[in-house]
């Protein structure tokens, strides 16, 4: 059973703290304590701020790693060219189950994030600041921080600041989904490729970056580039926030200087001495095998050179007593359930990829493995956002990293190790992915292999080599109910029907019947 991480796990630091300064004094640094710990902060004009970000090699810490100075200049140029005020957006969504670094910062050091965001807003001449969150704890902490600074969303305010609350979904943390929700739309990617620096919130040039990025900018502005670069590597200076979970004794958020050996980080969290594999960068990241993890250091360049990824800073080892493919299957199924349901590569491709990985694990042989590879290739670079790409890359990394286990499953009876659920997942799936209590059934006495059902509901039915559906029954999630009904109505041979799922019916029968008010006593007496 996968265990969800708490919003604020244990926080530790290697070396001198920067982002986590003051955490040993208070659980949450209010504005007064924040100023005592970090001191005042002087504003900077646009180009000096961009030069500062460039001097410290600041990149986005949300996963993409885009150079912050380049983003800042692009927004400034677009705003000047169009003659409009830009918007600043802090992305504090962090909806991946294995990531908590931004959540920790918002809960414990919200003013450090606001320092960086307000620096950018002042430099760009922005009049709107939006902080995107998805959790009760982060919403409460950030609303309190805005109130402590006297920032409001009133029209008369010189800077209108507000918190944008979205559901906890993988896709709501995508930049275009956050911008769309800030404009009053659904928190889903819109499907069109438009750079936020050109047209973001309200059509204005928008600088959007994640919470840690703004906090790093605030640290660099206080210390200056020379002092900031004394910590960590020459080409990737400063500290990095990591979230460690998986097969560890102590899940934690850890602040480390770049360049620290990955094996030392794993040792601090109580990982196995020689892990079977280490997932780096989170669920859109990549696996390192046990040997590769011993040689890697914590930096973007080093992890990429070893075949891993820094991504959003999640590090998840698994022990030698766990089936790595089974653990990855649970993640792949979760990633498929997180689809926004609005583009084929995500809505159809990710469930097909998860089913393909399951077929491989169940001994489907080389044919199943090749089919899985074809699905993951077809999914990439065709989605409305990066969720299909990241999910497909995770599956590809899984089958590349664990070749011995893969051979055992493809050619034999499996690796013999259990799936322990060590990789954290959210306990509840989205409502759209929940089972509807119905199943789509094929009547083989009537089916003539027209294949129309698979065209209408490919996420439920697929056509096999013989031209007929590959399954006799398929559970229907809620998001596919309409497609299932349409497939039944359009079947030329009337070979499809929708039935109630026996498991759902049994669970309802297991519940005691509701009693009308006042009838409980009479029923107990009859039972005697």
């Amino acid at each position: 059973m996968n265990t969800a991480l708490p919003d604020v796990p244990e926080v530790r630091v290697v070396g001198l703290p920067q982002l986590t300064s003051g955490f040993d004094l208070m659980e949450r640094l209010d504005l007064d304590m924040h100023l005592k710990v970090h001191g005042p902060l002087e504003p900077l004009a646009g180009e000096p701020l961009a030069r500062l970000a460039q001097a410290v090699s600041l990149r986005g810490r949300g996963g993409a790693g885009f150079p912050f100075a380049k983003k800042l200049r692009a927004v400034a140029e677009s705003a000047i060219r169009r003659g409009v005020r830009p918007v600043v957006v802090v992305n504090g969504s962090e909806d991946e189950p294995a990531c908590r670094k931004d959540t920790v910062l918002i809960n414990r050091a919200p003013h450090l994030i606001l320092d960086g965001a307000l620096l950018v807003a002042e430099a760009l001449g922005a009049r709107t600041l939006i902080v995107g969150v998805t959790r009760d704890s982060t919403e409460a902490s950030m609303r309190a921080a805005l109130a402590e600074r006297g920032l409001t969303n009133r029209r008369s305010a010189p800077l209108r600041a507000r918190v944008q609350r979205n559901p906890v979904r993988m896709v709501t943390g995508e930049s275009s989904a956050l911008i769309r929700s800030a404009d009053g739309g659904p928190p889903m990617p819109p499907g069109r490729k438009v750079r936020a620096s050109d047209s973001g919130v309200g059509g204005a040039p928008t600088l959007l970056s994640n919470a840690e990025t703004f906090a790093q900018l605030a640290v660099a502005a206080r210390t200056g580039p020379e002092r900031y670069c004394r910590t960590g590597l020459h080409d990737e200076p400063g500290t990095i926030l990591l979230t460690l979970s998986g097969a560890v004794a102590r899940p934690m958020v850890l602040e480390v200087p770049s360049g620290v050996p990955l094996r030392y980080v794993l040792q601090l969290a109580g990982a196995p001495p020689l892990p079977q594999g280490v997932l780096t960068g989170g669920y859109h990241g990549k696996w390192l095998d046990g040997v590769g993890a011993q040689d890697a250091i914590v930096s973007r360049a080093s992890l990429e050179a070893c075949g891993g990824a820094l991504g959003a800073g999640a590090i998840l080892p698994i022990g030698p007593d766990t089936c790595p493919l089974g653990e990855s299957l649970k993640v792949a199924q979760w990633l498929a359930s997180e689809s926004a349901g609005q583009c084929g590569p995500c809505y159809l491709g990710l469930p097909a990829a998860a089913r393909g990985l399951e077929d491989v694990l169940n001994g489907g042989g080389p044919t199943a493995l090749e089919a899985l590879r074809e699905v993951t290739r077809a999914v990439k670079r065709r989605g409305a956002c990066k969720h299909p790409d990241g999910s497909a890359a995770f599956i590809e990394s899984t089958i590349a990293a664990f070749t011995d286990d893969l051979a055992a499953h493809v050619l034999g009876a499996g690796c013999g190790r259990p799936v322990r659920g060590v990789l954290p997942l959210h306990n509840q799936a989205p409502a759209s992915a929940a089972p509807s209590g119905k199943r789509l059934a094929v009547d083989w006495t009537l089916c003539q292999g027209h294949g129309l059902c698979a065209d209408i509901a490919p996420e439920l039915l697929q056509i096999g080599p013989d031209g007929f559906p590959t399954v006799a029954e398929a559970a229907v999630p809620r998001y596919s109910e309409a497609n299932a009904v349409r497939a039944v109505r359009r079947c030329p041979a009337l070979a499809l029907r929708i039935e109630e799922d026996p498991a759902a019916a049994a669970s309802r029968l297991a519940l005691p019947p509701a009693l009308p008010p006042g009838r409980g006593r009479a029923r107990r007496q009859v039972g005697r």
Side-chain angles (χ1 to χ4, degrees), residues 148-162:
E148 288 164 5
R149 288 179 180 252
L151 295 172
T152 70
N153 195 32
R154 291 196 300 266
R155 291 182 180 274
S156 58
L159 175 68
R160 298 182 63 180
R162 62 184 173 91

Side-chain angles (χ1 to χ4, degrees), residues 48 58 70 140 163 248 274 304-305 378 393 408 415 427 462 465 495:
L58 180 60
K70 189 174 181 179
V163 174
V248 297
L274 185 62
E304 288 177 357
C415 65
N427 289 328
Q462 294 180 328

Side-chain angles (χ1 to χ4, degrees), residues 443-467:
D443 186 339
W444 295 115
T445 65
L446 298 175
C447 181
Q448 299 175 10
H450 291 94
L452 188 60
C453 57
D455 291 335
I456 296 173
E459 72 276 19
L460 301 176
L461 296 171
Q462 294 180 328
I463 299 301
D466 60 355

Side-chain angles (χ1 to χ4, degrees), residues 19 58-66 68 71 88-95 99-103 105-106 112-114 116-117 120 130-132 142 173-175 178 207-218 241 243 300 311-313:
L19 300 173
L58 180 60
R59 291 177 172 267
R61 300 300 178 94
F66 192 82
F68 190 82
K71 183 182 295 187
V88 176
V89 177
V90 178
N91 191 349
S93 302
E94 197 172 46
D95 299 314
C99 295
R100 287 295 184 274
K101 66 182 182 66
D102 290 337
T103 303
L105 278 178
I106 296 174
L112 195 61
I113 300 166
L114 288 178
V120 173
I130 299 170
V131 183
M142 190 53 71
E174 204 270 339
S175 59
L178 179 52
L207 190 146
L208 184 148
S209 200
N210 94 304
E212 186 195 343
T213 312
F214 286 106
Q216 292 281 4
L217 183 66
L241 281 183
T243 309
R300 188 177 303 276

